[in-house]
Structure formats: C-alpha cells, structure tokens
Amino acid sequence: KAGVTQTPRYLIKTRGQQVTLSCSPISGHRSVSWYQQTPGQGLQFLFEYFSETQRNKGNFPGRFSGRQFSNSRSEMNVSTLELGDSALYLCASKTRGDLNTDTQYFGPGTRLTVL
Amino acid sequence: EDQVTQSPEALRLQEGESSSLNCSYTVSGLRGLFWYRQDPGKGPEFLFTLYSAGEEKEKERLKATLTKKESFLHITAPKPEDSATYLCAVQAFNAGGTSYGKLTFGQGTILTVHP
C-alpha cells in the first residue's frame, strides 16, 4: 500500500499570506489528523477529521482550519501567516479501527517557512 | 491534561552498547501508548503500540514495555543506523469512552550511535 502523501513538501510564504496544505491518506483510512512540529514545542495536535467532520481540535487559534473530502483526502489552511507558524506540518491517517488497529501513520510532512 | 515526558533528551552510545529510553506519562484513561522513530526532515515512522500494563513488543533490536506510569524502549546492541529521534505518544479515552485521533507527544530522545 502507498503511504500517506503530503503536498507540497516545501513552501515559503511571507507574513500575512495564507497557505493550503494537502494530505492524501493511506487507501482505506478514513481518519486524518494534522500536527505541527517545531523545535521548541515538539509535535502538537491540530485537529482530526473523520467522514468529513472535525471530531477533535487542539489548542490553536482560529487561523488554523481544515476540511476533509468524501474521498478522505484532507486540506489544512492557515490564514494571516505569522513568523511563528514556520514549522513542519504532519498529516497522519488511520482506520477508524478496533483496538488493535488504532495506529496513526504519518506522512513526510510539509516544511513551511514564513518570512 | 495529558502529559508525556521523555528522558534522557539525548543519548550517545557506542555500537553494541545496550541502553533504555524512558517515557513517563500522565493520562486520564490510556487508550494506547505509541513509539515512533523520526529521522531528520522526515515524518515519524511507527514502531510499536502498547495498550495495557505488562505488555511487551519486540522488533529487531528494539523492545518496548509498558507499566501503569511509564514505558521503556530497550535498544540491544545498537548499530549506527539506529541513530534517530525516538518519540513516545499517548492516546486517551474521551469522557464518553470513545477514542479519537489526538496523540500527545513527548519531546523525544535523540539517539546517536557511534561506530
């Protein structure tokens, strides 16, 4: 099976702009979660989508938003970019799954640099 | 609030020198504890999932164990290719007894294995 794919892999933006990142989950996986990784804060949960519905959200401002499409692909959007938004944005997918299959598999990430 | 603390922050070993990484956690109800390996510039790679105290899992030179308060990742006779950041994460049950996708990560242990 192909793994989780994320596009683009690298992105450079300036303060005040907005950006959209894309994630295609592993085939058959219906849940997609997004994480932000920075050297200072580590990996932090942004939100999770399942069946096109956001069912969990982390402690990030409203500038961070996302959505999921009927084919389980997901996008996240960051509006009014700030320097502190520079980070590696990771997408992870999993089946809704029972106890023994509830593992999240990560994509390679999108490296966002805000100048 | 769920918390995960990993120690040490960095570990330098000689090839063949076995050691352990620690992950201490505080969570209201543990759904699962996950170990990932992350190489520079890449997304986390899944290693193990542990669900209940006393559980152990092995893969090549790695063995993960779980107690009610912490998990250990034992590395036996490491090789230079085992050099990476090892991440521990917990997933908690929600108040309703369900489990969504939020993982809470520790800051990671940077392992360097010298030949």
Side-chain angles (χ1 to χ4, degrees):
Chain A
K1 268 186 181 177
V4 177
T5 58
Q6 293 186 244
T7 57
R9 292 294 313 280
Y10 303 91
L11 209 47
I12 299 175
K13 293 285 187 180
T14 57
R15 281 181 298 174
Q17 287 186 309
Q18 74 165 17
V19 66
T20 299
L21 312 181
S22 180
C23 171
S24 293
I26 292 171
S27 177
H29 285 194
R30 299 169 62 191
S31 165
V32 173
S33 296
W34 289 89
Y35 294 82
Q36 180 195 66
Q37 186 174 30
T38 60
Q41 299 298 317
L43 267 152
Q44 293 187 289
F45 173 77
L46 282 157
F47 28 66
E48 183 203 9
Y49 286 87
F50 179 79
S51 291
E52 302 177 64
T53 301
Q54 185 183 93
R55 64 178 185 181
N56 208 349
K57 190 177 190 307
N59 296 323
F60 279 82
R63 300 185 297 106
F64 292 82
S65 63
R67 59 177 176 169
Q68 186 180 34
F69 303 95
S70 58
N71 62 357
S72 295
R73 190 177 69 85
S74 177
E75 290 181 347
M76 69 162 282
N77 183 276
V78 188
S79 62
T80 319
L81 285 166
E82 301 177 0
L83 294 178
D85 296 333
S86 294
L88 181 66
Y89 289 88
L90 293 158
C91 168
S93 76
K94 68 181 180 78
T95 60
R96 185 179 181 178
D98 60 15
L99 190 69
N100 292 323
T101 60
D102 202 14
T103 295
Q104 293 187 35
Y105 296 90
F106 284 83
T110 294
R111 171 71 64 185
L112 172 64
T113 302
V114 182
L115 302 176
Chain B
E1 187 176 324
D2 305 333
Q3 287 191 325
V4 179
T5 303
Q6 292 187 245
S7 61
E9 290 184 11
L11 182 62
R12 301 167 73 92
L13 300 174
Q14 289 297 127
E15 185 173 1
E17 180 186 2
S18 302
S19 188
S20 295
L21 281 56
N22 177 264
C23 170
S24 298
Y25 64 91
T26 303
V27 64
S28 52
L30 183 68
R31 172 73 166 82
L33 185 141
F34 303 82
W35 282 97
Y36 289 88
R37 167 196 169 124
Q38 186 174 28
D39 293 303
K42 297 187 176 181
E45 175 189 345
F46 170 71
L47 293 174
F48 303 109
T49 308
L50 301 167
Y51 292 105
S52 56
E55 189 174 0
E56 298 182 352
K57 287 191 177 174
E58 289 188 66
K59 178 182 178 180
E60 297 180 355
R61 296 178 292 282
L62 300 177
K63 179 180 177 180
T65 62
L66 181 65
T67 72
K68 288 187 177 181
K69 293 186 178 181
E70 56 191 349
S71 177
F72 293 93
L73 184 65
H74 308 277
I75 304 178
T76 302
K79 298 182 178 181
E81 53 262 42
D82 294 323
S83 298
T85 297
Y86 289 85
L87 297 164
C88 171
V90 296
Q91 183 175 359
F93 281 106
N94 296 320
T98 58
S99 174
Y100 294 156
K102 178 183 177 181
L103 292 179
T104 299
F105 280 86
Q107 290 292 91
T109 293
I110 302 171
L111 174 66
T112 305
V113 182
H114 296 284

